[in-house]
Amino acid sequence: PMAEKYGMDILFLEAPCRPNTLDLAAGCDAVCIFINDQITAQMIDRLCEMKVKAILLRSAGFNHVDIEAAHGKIHVLRVPSYSPEAVAEYAAAMLLTVNRFTHRAYTRTRDFNMSINGLMGADLHQKTAGIIGTGKIGQSMIRILNGFQMRVLCYDPYPVKGLEAEYVPLEDIFKYSDVISLHCPLTTETRHLINRDTI
């Protein structure tokens, strides 16, 4: 309905955006990709040759597109205010899953195996959580973890005043946290932030 309102035709394709599938965009004004699709400089040149005007991202992050190569050639549009609560809630769900093994418990109970052996997990209550990145998503995650009554430590090069969390040096996040949740953009500085040494 919205596409009709704005006079757009949308072509849905299940194929990932790759160099060998790029020609599927011929005749289109834009391509809409997700985070698993990598757009290289060569792909940008090919899109421009096909007169594609824009690369639309269904994500806040844009590290999967060669932005420098796109500059001055093709528009790149993203979703900068993607629901921070939705992302933080999903991160909290993943935390609960790895802590309480809910994915394994689901499979067992589906097969009528009610054994709790290996599924006990640990209380998050009064444990220490480390949050790296206190933008909108990180702030939402802090509120969720405060609801679990966890001690929340956080790190961000640009601190936000008034959070119910304690800013500490990055080294202290690694030293004192029982769990760590990353809510920072992928940049050259944050790539491999979690590595053998920090673990």
Side-chain angles (χ1 to χ4, degrees):
M2 188 175 282
E4 291 174 13
K5 179 181 174 184
Y6 290 99
M8 294 183 189
D9 291 321
I10 299 176
L11 174 63
F12 291 96
L13 301 170
E14 291 189 26
C17 188
R18 302 282 185 269
N20 63 344
T21 61
L22 210 55
D23 286 341
L24 294 172
C28 295
D29 292 317
V31 293
C32 185
I33 65 168
F34 198 50
I35 56 174
N36 295 329
D37 297 313
Q38 300 288 323
I39 302 292
T40 65
Q42 293 79 16
M43 293 171 75
I44 287 168
D45 289 342
R46 179 68 186 122
L47 288 169
C48 291
E49 288 171 13
M50 293 189 295
K51 308 280 192 256
V52 174
K53 299 175 185 126
I55 300 169
L56 312 176
L57 310 181
R58 299 190 316 269
S59 61
F62 50 89
N63 53 282
H64 54 298
V65 176
D66 189 331
I67 295 297
E68 290 180 13
H71 185 72
K73 293 182 181 177
I74 192 168
H75 294 287
V76 179
L77 303 165
R78 64 188 179 107
V79 187
S81 58
Y82 189 81
S83 172
E85 289 78 18
V87 177
E89 287 172 13
Y90 187 79
M94 294 297 98
L95 170 59
L96 292 171
T97 296
V98 299
N99 182 50
R100 293 292 181 178
F101 308 102
T102 52
H103 58 299
R104 289 176 49 204
Y106 169 79
T107 302
R108 279 191 195 175
T109 55
R110 190 186 63 198
D111 294 336
F112 301 102
N113 177 350
M114 304 306 164
S115 170
I116 61 170
N117 187 32
L119 302 179
M120 294 303 291
D123 289 351
L124 294 175
H125 181 260
Q126 296 188 337
K127 294 282 192 310
T128 300
I131 303 295
I132 299 175
T134 56
K136 291 178 182 177
I137 298 169
Q139 291 173 40
S140 183
M141 188 66 166
I142 288 169
R143 289 190 293 274
I144 291 169
L145 299 179
N146 280 328
F148 290 153
Q149 296 183 340
M150 297 183 78
R151 176 183 180 219
V152 182
L153 304 177
C154 58
Y155 170 80
D156 194 301
Y158 307 100
V160 176
K161 292 185 180 185
L163 297 183
E164 290 186 47
E166 178 187 353
Y167 277 97
V168 297
L170 192 55
E171 299 75 33
D172 287 356
I173 295 283
F174 299 128
K175 185 174 183 180
Y176 298 113
S177 299
D178 296 299
V179 297
I180 296 174
S181 190
L182 302 175
H183 300 283
C184 51
L186 179 61
T187 64
T188 52
E189 291 81 23
T190 60
R191 185 179 298 276
H192 301 297
L193 186 64
I194 303 298
N195 56 55
R196 182 173 294 151
D197 293 336
T198 57
I199 289 173

